[in-house]
């Protein structure tokens, strides 16, 4: 499974990458801004997106449709990640097309469980994952 983690906080990115490495079978890339994420997906196609709500050049709500459009993948699974109170942003996140909302600091066990749950065949890449 290929996961793109978009967050301008380097520590959060490192924690996420290490958690995915520990899980095994997960290839990760990170981006620190919306522009960097849009440039990255021109050459690397993720199976799942994790998008920070507050980025230096945009917000997660605006970035998700741009990423899905560029990838031509309108149903690409995506999770909003935020330090804001998740009860407040969960509704708007769902309306914006996110599959769920994760709070910061990230709960690595929940993330690993979600990645494992989604670890089967992915229609976007055609890859089988274990």
């Amino acid at each position: 499974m290929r996961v793109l983690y978009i967050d301008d906080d380097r520590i959060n990115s490192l924690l996420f990458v290490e958690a995915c490495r520990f899980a095994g079978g997960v290839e990760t890339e990170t981006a620190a801004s919306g522009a960097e994420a849009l440039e990255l997906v021109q050459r690397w196609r993720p199976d799942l997106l994790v998008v920070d709500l507050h980025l230096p050049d945009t917000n997660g709500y605006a970035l998700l449709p741009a990423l899905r459009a560029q990838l031509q993948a309108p149903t690409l699974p995506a999770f909003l990640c935020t330090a804001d109170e998740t009860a407040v942003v969960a509704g708007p996140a769902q309306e914006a097309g996110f599959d769920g909302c994760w709070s910061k600091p990230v709960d690595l066990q929940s993330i690993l469980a979600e990645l494992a749950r989604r670890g089967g065949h992915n229609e976007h890449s055609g890859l089988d994952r274990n």
Side-chain angles (χ1 to χ4, degrees):
M1 171 180 274
R2 294 173 133 203
V3 179
L4 174 56
Y5 184 84
I6 307 160
D7 192 332
D8 60 321
D9 185 313
R10 185 78 179 131
I11 300 294
N12 287 336
S13 295
L14 288 171
L15 284 171
F16 187 85
V17 168
E18 286 304 311
C20 290
R21 185 174 299 145
F22 177 77
V26 179
E27 181 184 342
T28 57
E29 286 286 343
T30 62
S33 68
E36 187 179 336
L38 288 165
E39 189 272 325
L40 179 72
V41 299
Q42 291 180 25
R43 64 182 189 284
W44 190 82
R45 186 175 182 86
D47 298 313
L48 185 135
L49 302 168
V50 180
V51 183
D52 186 19
L53 178 57
H54 303 289
L55 295 165
D57 59 348
T58 189
N59 66 59
Y61 301 135
L63 182 58
L64 179 61
L67 286 167
R68 284 178 169 164
Q70 185 160 319
L71 290 163
Q72 298 180 352
T75 62
L76 182 67
F79 289 85
L80 186 69
C81 195
T82 182
D84 294 356
E85 188 176 334
T86 54
V88 173
V89 297
Q94 185 177 21
E95 290 173 15
F98 285 95
D99 295 277
C101 187
W102 293 335
S103 63
K104 292 181 188 178
V106 293
D107 177 354
L108 296 178
Q109 293 294 33
S110 294
I111 291 170
L112 293 175
E114 183 64 32
L115 293 176
R117 187 180 77 76
R118 293 180 175 272
H121 176 73
N122 184 284
E123 65 185 88
H124 303 291
S125 68
L127 299 175
D128 275 336
R129 299 171 309 251
N130 296 324

